[in-house]
Structures are given as C-alpha cells and as structure tokens.
C-alpha cells in the first residue's frame, strides 16, 4: 500500500466501529480523520477532554474561550454541552464514553499500551491519555503496523505503559486484531497481504481461527 | 463579599516559595494578565499546579512566562510537550516537574477542596506514575488499594496557598460565570486554595444565581480584566 493511502485506509475501517449516537473521544492525528468516513446515518458525539460533551467543527469565527485539546479554536456541536475538567474526566472514567481511538508506540498481547513517553527522548506528559484508556469502554488503537519495518505489536511492551490491559482492538493497514483473554486474534486482513506476512510483521503470536475476513468492503 | 482589587495588589498576595494553582488549558481560560503581573513582580521559588506548561514559542502567555523567567521551582502538570523549554529545564534540573494524569489532577484538586482524604482511581496503575511513584502532594509515594476485588491507585488531595483563576464574568459577591471550555480547572481550583484570586473579563453588580458556576463564598479577590 502506498504510504500516502495508509492513514485514510485505517480511518475508513475504524469508522465501522461506531454506531449512531456513540459518545467517542478521538486522539490527535489519524483518529480525527474518522468522522469523514462515517456513513450518513451515523453521527457520533465527540468528547473533548478540555471541556465539551459534543464538540463541533472548526468555526468560521474564532471564540478564544472555545478550544480543543490542542489549544486550537473549536466549537460546540448542536446538542453539546460545556463541562469542566473534573466532569470531563468523570464522564471518561465513569465508562460513559463508548470508545476512544488513539495511536500507539507499542501494544502487546495483553492489551497493554505504550504511547506517551520515550525515556531520554520524548517526555511530553500523559495529558488525558491514561484516564481515557482506563475509562473508555472500548480502546481502539489505530496505527501503522510497523515502525520503519520494526514490529510495534509485541509480546510485551518495552516502553513505559500508558495503561495496562486496556486495548480492545488494533486496526492497521495490514489487519484488524481483537485483544482477547487468550491473546491477539487476527479477525480481518487486508487482501493485499497474507497471514504469514502479517505474522512476520508482528512480534506477538497471532491467533488465527480459520480464514480471517477481508477488511475491505 | 469578594474584594475588587487592582492586578498589582492581587499579584502582591503571592510571595516567594508559595504553592499556586493556575487555571487554564493551553491558554484557554487562564488568568493571563495576573500571570504577567506575577512575572513583573519577580516573585520566585513558586510551586505551580496547572494543566500544562504552555504553548510553543511566540508570545509568552500565562504560566509559560513565569517558567521562562525561572520563577517556578516545581511544576505539577499533566502535559508539557507543547513548550520545549519545560523539557529542557526538567532535563537540566533547573525546574522539578511532576506529571499527573489529567483526570487524576482534577480529582486531587477536587479532593483537596472538598474535604476528601483522596480519590481511588484505576488511572495510572502499572505505569511510571503508579504504585511507588511520588505523589504530587509531596506527602509520600502512591499505593494501591483493593475495593471489592478491584485495584485502585490512591491519589492524595492537593491544595495551594493561592489559586489564580479566570472568569468571563464576576460579580461583587465573588460569584463567577465562565463561558465555553474556559472553565476547565478553574472550578475545582477555586475550592482548593487558602486565597482565591479571579481575573474576570467583566465585573457586574450581580450574576443570575442560576448561572453561577463558582460560588462567591470561595472567591476572595477579583481583578477586572481591563485594569
């Protein structure tokens, strides 16, 4: 797959995870592309951890008191509400958020997630990621399958964790993996790849029950 | 009744070595004029509790200006990645930085303000800020507690000498109303400090009680944003 196509491909598949009315939090980057791939009859309510239950799109006229978590100008959606930080994370931690979608540096076969720190290199802080992963009902990781050819789906994360045993699903340009109590199950595959190729790009051993479905319509 | 005061007098309430909570999230809903007055006052050795270390480059805004000036000895925050200077100072050892998950920081402050002995949260378990990590309150290391078979991390309450908060509108009784996402940490911080100073864009006679977000009984000083 061409490099430039990967993010859109993953976002399009991730869009199938939502049903109308789901309350979801989308991480920065790729996950923010997901709403544009939702079918016309599916509308999600966006949780913005800075303070909205129902965030809207970028406004034509900026209001400096309505921002997204990146500090950029945002708006509240029709039917949305402003909330303070304690309420925002209460909604997140309390299991009121159906799903959070975010990128990862590493994921392992127990569903452990590392995406906030590379010791000695990058120390941005965890922001709201730890609460989101500990609290959302579904934690969906969307990422490229490997980092310059090196596996990111490991037997055990080597980087400090964001949250332990939180990931429920991994969507990459190669496949869709469900995190199960037995381990990582390959449930869908991009027909451009074989199961052997996916396994070769994955350090953790994938569970394959029969022929995986195609992740392309 | 809150005292309506000048920004210079308000800034003078903050002395060397104090712990100061500052509302705002990447500049949204932060008491920026009050922070600029603190920068000019030269107060030093502050412990600052706030969401983040500010935005990258450009105009120094809010807490970012105090950090840049070396007035902060300890920053307790959830995210510092946008302001590279914070990471540099942390690595050079010129400023101590304690990172706290955002939801846990809000709850620690809320616990400090509302008389709770701490909060039990699943957030942070199995991570570098989990069991054994230093609690941002400075009262020891974090421990896990099991309730009905489920493990939680104990996050202790945190308080400050002074909270600097932002309001869109304040009234002479100290009540505060906040528009949009500017409310963020301002609401919980208003209850968790010995002295609370609110920088308000507008000061009115009285806010409709139905619209009050922060109760006047919590607010000690109001600084009109235009002063």
């Amino acid at each position: 797959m061409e490099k430039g196509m990967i993010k859109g491909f993953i976002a399009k598949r991730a869009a199938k995870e939502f049903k109308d009315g789901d309350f979801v939090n989308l991480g920065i980057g790729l996950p923010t592309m997901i709403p544009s791939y939702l079918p016309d009859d599916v509308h999600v309510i966006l949780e913005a951890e800075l303070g909205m239950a129902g965030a809207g799109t970028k406004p034509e006229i900026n209001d400096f008191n309505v921002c997204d978590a990146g500090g950029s100008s945002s708006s509240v959606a029709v039917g949305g509400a402003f909330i303070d930080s304690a309420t925002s994370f209460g909604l997140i931690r309390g299991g009121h958020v159906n799903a959070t979608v975010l990128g990862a540096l590493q994921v392992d076969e127990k569903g452990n997630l590392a995406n906030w720190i590379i010791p000695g290199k990058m120390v941005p802080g965890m922001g709201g990621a730890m609460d989101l992963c500990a609290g959302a009902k579904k934690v969906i990781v969307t990422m490229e399958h490997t980092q310059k050819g090196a596996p990111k789906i490991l037997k055990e994360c080597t980087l400090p964790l964001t949250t332990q045993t939180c990931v429920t699903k991994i969507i990459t340009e190669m496949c869709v993996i469900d995190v199960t109590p037995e381990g990582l199950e390959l449930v869908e595959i991009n027909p451009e790849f074989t199961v052997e190729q996916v396994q070769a790009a994955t350090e953790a051993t994938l569970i394959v029950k029969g022929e995986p479905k195609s992740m392309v319509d | 009744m809150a005292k309506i005061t000048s920004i210079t007098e308000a800034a003078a309430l903050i002395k060397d070595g104090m712990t100061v909570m500052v509302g705002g999230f990447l500049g949204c809903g932060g008491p920026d004029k009050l922070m600029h007055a603190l920068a000019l006052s030269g107060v030093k050795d502050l412990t600052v509790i706030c969401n983040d270390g500010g935005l990258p480059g450009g105009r120094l805004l809010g807490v970012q200006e105090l950090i840049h000036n070396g007035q902060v000895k300890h920053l307790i925050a959830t995210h510092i990645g946008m302001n590279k200077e914070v990471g540099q100072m942390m690595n050079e050892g010129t400023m101590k930085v304690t990172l706290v998950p955002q939801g846990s920081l809000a709850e620690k402050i809320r616990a400090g303000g509302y008389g709770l002995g701490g909060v039990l949260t699943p957030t942070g378990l199995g991570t570098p800020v989990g069991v054994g990590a230093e609690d941002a309150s400075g009262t020891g290391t974090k421990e896990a507690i099991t309730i009905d078979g489920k493990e939680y991390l104990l996050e202790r309450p945190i308080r400050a000498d002074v909270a600097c908060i932002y309001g869109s509108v304040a009234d002479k009784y100290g009540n505060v109303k906040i528009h949009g996402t500017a409310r963020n940490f301002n609401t919980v911080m208003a209850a968790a400090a010995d002295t609370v100073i609110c920088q308000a864009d507008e000061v009115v006679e009285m806010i409709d009680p139905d619209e009050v977000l922060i109760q006047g009984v919590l607010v000690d000083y109001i600084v009109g944003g235009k002063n």
Side-chain angles (χ1 to χ4, degrees):
Chain A
M1 180 170 289
E2 278 179 52
K3 188 86 178 162
M5 306 280 283
I6 291 177
K7 284 184 178 172
F9 179 81
I10 297 171
K12 188 178 176 188
R13 173 58 192 83
K16 290 186 191 170
E17 294 300 313
F18 302 131
K19 56 182 193 305
D20 194 42
D22 274 356
F23 187 33
V24 302
N25 184 290
L26 303 176
I28 52 166
L30 193 161
T32 59
M33 296 165 69
I34 295 172
S36 60
Y37 291 99
L38 289 170
D40 289 343
D41 57 347
V42 176
H43 296 94
V44 295
I45 301 162
L46 297 175
E47 205 281 342
E49 60 253 44
L50 168 49
M52 283 185 274
T57 50
K58 193 161 176 58
E60 281 174 25
I61 300 164
N62 289 348
D63 177 342
F64 70 96
N65 276 344
V66 181
C67 296
D68 62 21
S72 302
S73 196
S74 186
S75 70
V76 64
V78 172
F82 292 118
I83 48 181
D84 68 7
S85 296
T87 308
S88 177
F89 284 94
L91 291 175
I92 289 167
R93 216 186 300 97
H96 305 282
V97 173
N98 299 94
T100 182
V101 188
L102 70 178
L105 295 166
Q106 296 177 338
V107 188
D108 71 22
E109 57 189 23
K110 291 193 182 68
N112 292 318
L113 169 71
N115 75 349
W116 74 282
I117 185 171
I118 302 176
K121 276 189 183 169
M122 180 188 92
V123 191
M126 69 294 282
M130 287 185 176
D131 298 280
L132 273 163
C133 295
K137 282 186 189 151
K138 290 197 278 186
V139 176
I140 300 167
V141 167
T142 53
M143 63 174 187
E144 288 190 41
H145 203 93
T146 59
Q147 169 72 26
K148 292 174 185 159
K152 296 171 75 178
I153 304 171
L154 309 175
K155 286 186 189 304
E156 195 175 348
C157 290
T158 55
L159 291 170
L161 297 185
T162 305
T163 302
Q164 60 187 8
T165 63
C166 62
V167 178
T168 54
K169 194 179 277 282
I170 306 164
I171 302 173
T172 76
E173 77 282 17
M174 296 185 100
C175 65
V176 179
I177 293 169
D178 278 352
V179 182
T180 75
E182 290 77 42
L184 302 180
E185 186 180 341
L186 181 65
V187 290
E188 289 177 35
I189 192 164
N190 178 344
E192 288 182 28
F193 301 99
T194 65
V195 172
E196 290 70 30
Q197 284 173 320
V198 175
Q199 180 61 74
T202 310
E203 189 199 80
T205 305
L206 297 170
I207 300 167
V208 185
K209 294 178 179 169
E211 190 71 22
K213 286 191 293 186
S214 168
M215 66 188 287
V216 182
D217 295 324
Chain B
M1 195 170 290
K3 187 177 178 213
I4 296 170
T5 186
S6 74
I7 201 147
T8 328
E9 278 177 44
L13 296 164
I14 296 164
K15 317 280 188 203
D16 291 354
M18 276 189 168
T19 296
V20 184
M21 284 179 183
V22 184
F25 188 124
L26 289 173
C28 179
D32 54 341
K33 294 184 177 75
L34 202 45
M35 290 302 105
H36 184 58
L38 280 190
L40 296 177
S41 83
V43 64
K44 59 183 190 295
D45 296 329
L46 299 176
T47 292
V48 169
I49 302 168
C50 65
N51 177 65
D52 56 82
L55 288 158
R59 191 164 67 98
L60 292 168
L61 195 69
V63 167
Q64 195 180 355
E65 188 174 5
L66 305 184
I67 292 170
H68 179 78
N69 292 349
Q71 293 170 274
V72 181
K73 69 167 183 194
H74 185 185
L75 176 68
I76 297 169
T78 81
H79 199 275
I80 56 169
M82 303 284 264
N83 181 359
K84 297 282 174 267
E85 199 171 32
V86 176
Q88 278 170 22
M89 292 170 84
M90 184 167 111
N91 292 334
E92 289 162 4
T94 50
M95 181 173 70
K96 181 179 173 181
V97 177
T98 305
L99 291 167
V100 184
Q102 209 164 90
S104 299
L105 183 61
E107 286 301 315
K108 290 169 87 72
I109 296 168
R110 202 177 64 88
Y114 293 142
L116 301 173
V119 288
L120 297 175
T121 174
T123 306
L125 282 171
T127 78
V129 295
V131 175
E134 185 195 353
D135 192 285
S137 62
T139 54
T141 54
K142 296 190 203 179
E143 57 188 295
I145 293 178
T146 301
I147 304 285
D148 296 337
K150 189 166 162 35
E151 195 179 34
Y152 295 92
L153 195 63
L154 170 63
E155 290 280 3
R156 291 166 194 271
I158 193 165
R159 287 186 58 86
D161 296 305
V162 180
C164 296
I165 64 167
Y166 165 84
S168 303
V169 183
D171 71 18
K172 65 177 191 183
Y173 304 96
N175 294 305
V176 178
K177 177 173 149 176
I178 306 179
H179 166 57
T181 55
R183 50 194 73 193
N184 54 69
F185 280 89
N186 291 303
T187 48
V188 282
M189 286 177 173
D194 298 342
T195 302
V196 176
I197 309 167
C198 177
Q199 173 194 314
D201 286 345
E202 190 186 351
V203 181
V204 298
E205 182 68 18
M206 194 183 107
I207 296 170
D208 180 340
D210 271 337
E211 294 180 3
V212 171
L213 191 66
I214 295 169
Q215 304 75 37
V217 290
L218 297 173
V219 179
D220 302 292
Y221 296 93
I222 290 166
V223 174
K226 295 185 182 78
N227 291 351

